[in-house]
Amino acid sequence: MSAAPPARGLSRRALLGIPLAAAAAAGAGFYALLRRMEAGHYDPHAVDNPLVGQAIPDFAPLPAQDPASIGFGSADLRAALHATGRPILVNFFASWCVPCRIEHPQLMAMTGAGIAIWGIAYKDQAADAAKLLGEEGNPYARLARDENGRVSIDWGLYGVPETFLIDRAGIIRGHWAGPLAPETVRDEVSPLLRKYA
Amino acid sequence: MIRALVLLIFLAVPLAAAFAISDPAEMLPDPKAEARAEAIGRQLRCLVCQNESIEDSGADLARDLRHIVRQHVAAGETNKEIIAWMVARYGDFVRLRPPFEPLTWLLWASPALALVAGAVIVAFALREKRPPPAPLSAAEQRKLKDVLKS
């Protein structure tokens, strides 16, 4: 058996080697994928929001959500961006959403650092959202409520929380679905805020 | 008894899902318009569950999107317009049938490429039949005899 069989179309080496190489390549690919998922660089469920790079969608003023006294619409958002010349984060949240509570300390920290965050309560009971913000602090400079979720759909929202970074020209420059981890704020949100400051 | 119960549960699961989507309160009064809305909805991915269409999904967002589709259908918009409305908000990902564009050429061509690859392998395998082994030389014949004897 020492001598290899005479070569024909596909040698025995190729017959064994090609599937083996394919399996090894697939394994390496899966390993890289899992590592990136573990490190939080890759989320297979994330949906690329097509609005990134585009102007914020127009929406009529939404009603205020306690404890805010006035709500806001796209015109208010654009006016504030124009007046301050600094980017604004728009954060969609709900009191019934557990990941929103995970992200809450990061929002409080950013507000403490002087970053403007405008909030939209998604399909939330007014009293429930007010209670949450009363207990855990209110990071929002302006706060509105989207009771039936229609404005949120215009933003391409598919869950809460989601956060958008709007530059001073009213263009959406960043989008994060899911709770903002401290690392996400440090590695992604803060650099983008500096870039568009 | 337990077996019947388990069977009942398994039968009830898809049934419950089926009921969730055919809530008469959601449907358009015009059966033709409703059929069109359902056909559009079946092409749209539920962003929450991701492997179901919004017609099949019980998610809250899917219900909202079904409602929006019906509003647009009732307003007389074409299927193309309604799908474009969804794509503007959720990207091509919302389409369960990806469009044919440079990014998806490989995806759409993959069945043909797999067929070609298979054909190449088969062609290689068939091309050269292994030649029958050469007849043994006189020396080899003797060696064989010795081996068989011992």
Side-chain angles (χ1 to χ4, degrees):
Chain A
M1 273 311 285
S2 61
R8 29 169 201 152
L10 278 174
S11 68
R12 176 163 296 207
R13 192 173 290 173
L15 220 55
L16 281 176
I18 291 172
L20 207 67
F30 280 128
Y31 181 72
L33 200 88
L34 289 173
R35 280 302 298 270
R36 286 185 38 157
M37 276 170 67
E38 207 172 47
H41 297 311
Y42 173 68
D43 174 9
H45 293 286
V47 177
D48 283 338
N49 192 303
L51 288 176
V52 175
Q54 296 197 31
I56 55 167
D58 285 321
F59 59 101
L62 289 166
Q65 160 66 52
D66 258 3
S69 54
I70 51 166
F72 65 88
S74 51
D76 304 302
L77 195 50
R78 266 193 287 270
L81 289 162
H82 188 73
T84 62
R86 293 173 56 206
I88 290 178
L89 293 177
V90 175
N91 177 254
F92 292 81
F93 77 104
S95 63
W96 46 261
C97 136
V98 176
C100 298
R101 290 177 191 247
I102 297 171
E103 140 181 296
H104 199 267
Q106 282 71 262
L107 299 182
M108 292 302 288
M110 282 196 283
T111 302
I115 294 158
I117 306 176
W118 289 28
I120 295 180
Y122 173 77
K123 291 194 175 185
D124 208 351
Q125 302 289 330
D128 293 349
K131 185 162 173 279
L132 168 78
L133 299 176
E135 283 166 5
E136 316 232 345
N138 177 11
Y140 303 111
R142 295 279 290 266
L143 188 53
R145 50 193 274 103
D146 186 10
E147 200 162 357
N148 62 11
R150 279 303 297 270
V151 166
S152 302
I153 286 176
D154 283 342
W155 284 72
L157 196 86
Y158 65 96
V160 270
E162 284 193 33
T163 308
F164 294 80
L165 190 155
I166 327 292
D167 75 2
R168 71 184 97 170
I171 309 292
I172 296 173
R173 295 299 181 181
H175 168 245
W176 297 270
L180 292 174
E183 295 77 25
T184 317
V185 173
R186 187 191 64 208
D187 300 338
E188 298 176 26
V189 185
S190 297
L192 265 186
L193 280 167
R194 274 197 296 277
K195 184 176 170 192
Y196 291 104
Chain B
M1 181 61 205
I2 290 175
R3 200 176 290 186
L5 222 89
V6 168
L7 192 72
L8 207 71
I9 289 170
F10 275 103
L11 284 175
V13 166
L15 224 66
F19 277 133
I21 53 151
S22 49
D23 179 358
E26 278 187 21
M27 283 158 57
L28 290 171
D30 174 9
K32 256 172 98 180
E34 173 61 27
R36 187 157 79 86
E38 274 172 29
I40 296 168
R42 263 194 282 279
Q43 297 173 46
L44 297 171
R45 184 191 304 275
C46 168
L47 281 302
V48 181
C49 1
Q50 303 206 340
N51 284 326
E52 279 184 310
S53 79
I54 61 168
E55 286 296 324
D56 297 326
S57 171
D60 203 39
L61 180 68
R63 202 191 53 221
D64 288 354
L65 294 179
R66 280 198 298 272
H67 183 60
I68 289 169
V69 166
R70 277 155 183 76
Q71 280 179 331
H72 286 244
V73 167
E77 283 182 34
T78 65
N79 295 15
K80 237 186 186 159
E81 281 169 336
I82 296 168
I83 289 172
W85 191 96
M86 290 289 172
V87 169
R89 283 154 184 78
Y90 292 108
D92 277 330
F93 186 66
V94 79
R95 302 171 63 168
L96 279 171
R97 189 186 166 82
F100 190 70
E101 56 182 22
L103 191 69
T104 59
W105 282 350
L106 190 63
L107 176 71
W108 280 103
S110 55
L113 291 178
L115 199 68
V116 168
V120 166
I121 291 172
V122 169
F124 263 107
L126 290 181
R127 206 178 56 176
E128 276 178 66
K129 288 260 184 269
R130 184 194 293 232
L136 297 180
S137 64
E140 283 168 337
Q141 290 276 16
R142 271 199 303 280
K143 205 172 169 188
L144 179 66
K145 232 179 223 167
D146 286 347
V147 169
L148 288 177
K149 233 189 273 170
S150 64

